[in-house]
């Protein structure tokens, strides 16, 4: 590929979003990347607010994220689809944002469930691709990270699909 120097790679992780084993998994991934002599890896564990700040400041190369919620509450999964969500896809939808805000404030469980169902439908209609890779952790890289290549050994990444 013509790369002669190590590429600096900063990977951000929000442990609350991905569950307990994620820190160990990311440490192993970082060690493998370092061992390849192609990357110098820095792992930054932060909270959701810290990730949003780092994204806005352009300090994030890669976000290590799981689409498998670490809690039973669907809000943990759906929050990433909000305009200020930690996934930073550049996705924005006023209907989704409004439904997210409503369900956060709703105390009646039946009304909240109805809002969550509306939210899921709104997301399905608005998002170009819904991740369906149950149990597979995906890594999204900023476009400024050059040389990102997909290999046959990597699970299918549906994020590049559009309608």
């Amino acid at each position: 590929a013509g790369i002669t120097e190590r590429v600096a790679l900063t990977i951000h992780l929000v442990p609350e979003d991905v569950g307990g084993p994620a820190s160990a998994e990311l440490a192993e991934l970082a060690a493998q990347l370092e061992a390849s002599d192609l990357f110098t890896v820095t792992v930054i564990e932060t909270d959701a607010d810290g990730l949003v700040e780092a994204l806005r400041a352009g300090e994030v190369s890669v976000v290590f994220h799981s689409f498998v919620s670490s809690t039973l509450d669907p809000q943990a999964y759906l929050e990433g689809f909000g305009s200020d969500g930690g996934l930073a896809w550049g996705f924005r939808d006023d209907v989704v944002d409004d439904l997210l805000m409503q369900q956060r404030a709703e105390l009646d469980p039946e009304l909240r469930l109805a809002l969550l169902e509306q939210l899921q439908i709104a997301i399905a209609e608005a998002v170009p691709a819904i991740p369906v890779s149950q149990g597979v952790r995906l890594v999204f890289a900023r476009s400024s990270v050059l040389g990102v290549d997909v290999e046959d050994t990597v699970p299918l990444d549906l994020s590049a699909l559009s309608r």
Side-chain angles (χ1 to χ4, degrees), residues 51-60 142:
L51 177 60
V52 170
E53 288 176 23
L55 286 165
R56 288 182 178 153
E59 299 168 349
V60 179
R142 284 183 165 264

Side-chain angles (χ1 to χ4, degrees), residues 10 23 27 36-37 44 46 61 65 78 99 102 104 113 116 120 128 153 163:
T10 303
S23 295
S36 73
D37 288 330
I44 298 176
T46 185
S61 302
H65 189 79
L78 298 174
L99 287 167
Q102 288 180 49
R104 276 186 216 121
L113 178 60
L116 287 167
Q120 290 176 22
T153 58
R163 52 180 172 151

Side-chain angles (χ1 to χ4, degrees), residues 20-32:
S23 295
E25 290 175 28
L26 185 52
E28 177 61 30
L29 174 62
Q32 291 175 19

